[in-house]
Amino acid sequence: MLILGIESTCDETGCALVRDGQVLSNKIASQTNLHEYFGGVVPELASREHAKHLLPLLDSALEEAKVTLQELDAIAIAYGPGLIGSLLIGFNTAKVLSLTLNKPLLCINHIEAHLFAAAMEQDREVEFPALGVVLSGGHTALVKMHSFGKFELLGQTLDDAIGESFDKVAKMLRLPYPGGPVIEKLAREGNPNSFDFRAGKVAKPYDFSFSGIKTKVLYTVYGQNGQIGEQEISHSVKCDVAASFQRAVFDDVVKKCMKAAEQYQCKSILMGGGVTNNRALRDQLTATGLNLYLPPFSLTLDNGAMIAGLAAWKMKNSLPHEYTFSTPKTRIAF
Ligand code: KG4
Ligand code: ZN
């Protein structure tokens, strides 16, 4: 079964061809350089970039996979959650392809696809119930998975997403966007116990809060009244702040993962989202002895392969997923 996966939920355009679970091509046009200047994603610019890159990316994905559009069995699109303008570019392109080629259009949840990425390119089957851990730029959530497509939300962030908190702390330290990779790099040179940063307290056991720690970082770096100037912040202070911040948020995540895995008797832990790129996090999780599934580095950030991969799984397992072009009441079933 050959599936085209299209991703355009935020600031990466992705087109991938997946045949029977095997990734034939996985093309990504990242907008990082464009948004870096603003220190975060500018939705209007993101939509325009998707419009510019999607069709050339589709050509190159088809070329690399050595397949034609006519050979496709289905088209899969990340229908959300995401930025509305960005979503519309991908969704409308996928709809036109589906209608003109007369192939089914499968609507895939972006978050679920991040978790599915952890099961791709593995030589072992995921055992359920599993704990799904989404750590991305827009989402932080723990879910109990009875299967793909069957979830119970255990907890989520009440304010900033974890990746967003990396991006904001990096911005405070005048480091480039996205903040995650650069914080990780500086943290390697710093002392993780220099500052007593902690993730926020929450009422429910598996919720998260990362906005208070951001303010603590701000006061630590610039003083309570902003009396410390930017030029006074040395490289070694930045490294210590990065290391202490990273330690605090990862301690919180790992502790909650262990607790939830035990309470819900999860046989596997599936991790997904851009923050799972972080090697310190991977090492810390691996040391817990949990039965971990981490996505390959090529599938951690937003990409079309995870969208096509999950669509293929849903087709194989006859789960409802197909977009219905019915009139007058057009509806999405998934
Ligand atoms: O999954 P993703 O593309 O975003 C959403 O779908 O929302 O992940 C992007 C996020 C950014 O916030 C970025 O700073 C973070 O992942 N990230 C990292 C690392 N690499 C990317 N965070 C921590 N350490 C990293 N190495
Ligand atoms: Zn994502």
Side-chain angles (χ1 to χ4, degrees):
M1 190 180 311
L2 179 66
I3 302 200
L4 164 67
I6 298 179
E7 156 66 42
S8 72
T9 58
C10 188
D11 61 341
E12 262 116 18
T13 319
C15 268
L17 275 310
V18 173
R19 175 174 272 144
D20 301 327
Q22 195 201 337
V23 180
L24 304 182
S25 63
N26 184 24
K27 295 286 181 187
I28 299 170
S30 172
Q31 304 174 10
T32 301
N33 293 344
L34 174 74
H35 300 293
E36 185 180 353
Y37 175 79
F38 303 96
V41 178
V42 183
E44 172 67 22
L45 294 180
S47 314
R48 288 171 192 271
E49 287 296 292
H50 287 304
K52 195 158 83 191
H53 292 297
L54 191 45
L55 292 181
L57 210 62
L58 173 60
D59 280 342
S60 82
L62 289 165
E63 201 177 301
E64 189 175 309
K66 298 191 176 51
V67 297
T68 62
L69 283 175
Q70 285 66 29
E71 291 172 62
L72 294 177
D73 290 299
I75 293 137
I77 179 68
Y79 77 89
L83 302 171
I84 187 64
S86 293
L87 286 168
L88 283 171
I89 305 294
F91 194 48
N92 281 329
T93 307
K95 263 164 69 177
V96 169
L97 286 171
S98 165
L99 280 171
T100 51
L101 297 167
N102 196 23
K103 313 274 177 178
L105 175 60
L106 313 181
C107 294
I108 295 298
N109 180 294
H110 176 84
I111 307 285
E112 197 185 343
H114 267 306
L115 292 175
F116 188 80
M120 290 175 78
E121 299 184 4
Q122 294 274 3
D123 48 16
R124 53 194 175 135
E125 288 285 312
V126 176
E127 286 183 79
F128 293 98
L131 180 71
V133 186
V134 184
L135 304 173
S136 78
H139 303 272
T140 311
L142 293 186
V143 293
K144 181 178 175 187
M145 302 168 70
H146 301 280
S147 157
F148 290 107
K150 228 172 151 198
F151 297 94
E152 256 172 81
L153 182 69
L154 302 178
Q156 60 187 327
T157 183
L158 302 180
D159 39 58
D160 292 346
I162 184 167
E164 186 184 358
S165 74
F166 272 84
D167 297 335
K168 287 179 175 167
V169 165
K171 196 172 177 185
M172 278 176 208
L173 297 174
R174 309 291 180 254
L175 299 168
Y177 172 86
V182 62
I183 295 272
E184 177 181 6
K185 191 158 168 266
L186 292 189
R188 280 191 221 123
E189 292 179 53
N191 175 357
N193 299 312
S194 303
F195 302 104
D196 183 26
F197 297 146
R198 283 156 210 238
K201 284 212 170 92
V202 284
K204 294 195 197 149
Y206 303 119
D207 279 344
F208 296 92
S209 167
F210 299 117
S211 101
I213 188 170
K214 212 177 49 190
T215 316
K216 183 87 191 279
V217 170
L218 184 73
Y219 289 159
T220 303
V221 175
Y222 296 104
Q224 193 83 18
N225 303 310
Q227 67 273 27
I228 303 171
E230 215 176 294
Q231 37 329 316
E232 294 171 60
I233 319 293
S234 67
H235 177 72
S236 79
V237 167
K238 288 187 183 183
C239 293
D240 286 343
V241 168
S244 302
F245 164 76
Q246 188 174 272
R247 187 241 337 120
V249 293
F250 288 166
D251 280 355
D252 188 51
V253 168
V254 173
K255 197 175 73 201
K256 286 172 184 169
C257 287
M258 290 177 75
K259 195 170 164 204
E262 194 188 332
Q263 181 177 346
Y264 294 99
Q265 297 177 351
C266 298
K267 295 183 183 149
S268 330
I269 320 290
L270 278 92
M271 312 286 304
V275 180
T276 64
N277 255 323
N278 191 298
R279 283 176 196 273
L281 173 67
R282 286 180 174 234
D283 290 346
Q284 204 171 330
L285 283 162
T286 307
T288 61
L290 292 168
N291 183 26
L292 269 189
Y293 287 75
L294 286 155
F297 284 108
S298 57
L299 301 181
T300 52
L301 294 169
D302 294 349
N303 65 84
M306 65 183 189
I307 306 300
L310 180 55
W313 188 92
K314 291 203 165 189
M315 275 182 100
K316 203 169 129 199
N317 290 280
S318 311
L319 282 178
H321 44 249
E322 212 172 304
Y323 181 83
T324 316
F325 289 95
S326 60
T327 48
K329 282 189 190 149
T330 309
R331 64 186 179 88
I332 298 175
F334 55 89

